Amino acid sequence: MRKILGVIAAVATVAALLTTGSVASAAPAPDYHQVPDLSGYSAVDPAPYRSPDYADNGRTFFVTPSGRTCALGPGRGYNGCSGHPQTAPPGKAGAAISGGQNGPYWIPSNTSYRTTPKGWFSAPLLDIGQSITVDESKCAVSSDGVTCVAGPRAFTLTAFWFKFVYPAGDQYHDVNSDPKFLPADQR
């Protein structure tokens, strides 16, 4: 009888551990499905940022104080920014969203995709605390880096970390790095 009670107690202990989990697994995972709220940024007039050069095909460009370059358009929901955070995979030149339908994706270093003007136009500065909206794409510059949103998708690029946001169940995006690399307010 004592042996049976010991087995029952052991099974109950294991069951309790399995249902409650460890402290580490009880922490919530980062939310990769909530698009960042950029409403607190000061909106700029996009007209001076749009390249009139035929070679740029109607794209809008800006540069951040840290030297990152970004392009919005042409068309609805297209945006991309240069940069290779420390946690990014090797051989990547930046991130992009395609038409608000796909991405965020890493831009390979050896691609024709560009975030800088092709012709004579020089991209103006989008300063910290400012945002720009063009054709259902919005980008904002913080003291950490840049965040761009198109539809239910977004990316944030900083010098040290990145975060990709996409709809739940979506398969058309690149993966995020380990959450341990994100700052506490992004986990």
Side-chain angles (χ1 to χ4, degrees):
M1 183 68 157
R2 217 183 258 173
K3 195 173 197 178
I4 292 175
L5 290 175
V7 170
I8 291 172
V11 169
T13 302
V14 170
L17 286 173
L18 290 175
T19 58
T20 60
S22 68
V23 173
S25 68
D31 188 351
Y32 296 120
H33 311 299
Q34 179 64 44
V35 174
D37 179 10
L38 303 181
S39 64
Y41 291 84
S42 176
V44 300
D45 176 6
Y49 295 84
R50 183 181 168 130
S51 172
D53 192 322
Y54 179 79
D56 292 328
N57 194 25
R59 286 184 177 88
T60 299
F61 299 95
F62 67 89
V63 63
T64 69
S66 65
R68 197 174 303 277
T69 58
C70 298
L72 291 91
R76 298 191 182 286
Y78 285 88
N79 59 49
C81 292
S82 68
H84 189 271
Q86 289 180 359
T87 57
K92 305 303 178 193
I97 298 172
S98 298
Q101 305 282 326
N102 296 308
Y105 288 120
W106 285 111
I107 302 169
S109 295
N110 60 352
T111 185
S112 62
Y113 187 94
R114 58 191 171 78
T115 60
T116 56
K118 190 175 191 177
W120 56 266
F121 180 74
S122 181
L125 176 71
L126 188 66
D127 215 345
I128 294 171
Q130 294 182 321
S131 69
I132 187 168
T133 303
V134 176
D135 290 332
E136 298 179 18
S137 284
K138 184 173 190 173
C139 294
V141 178
S142 69
S143 58
D144 289 334
V146 64
T147 298
C148 290
V149 174
R153 301 169 188 282
F155 63 80
T156 299
L157 300 177
T158 75
F160 304 104
W161 58 271
F162 71 92
K163 184 176 180 182
F164 289 168
V165 173
Y166 42 83
D170 181 75
Q171 300 296 313
Y172 304 104
H173 62 273
D174 282 340
V175 298
N176 280 290
S177 61
D178 190 313
K180 71 181 178 187
F181 296 116
L182 291 173
D185 68 333
Q186 295 293 318
R187 288 186 217 154

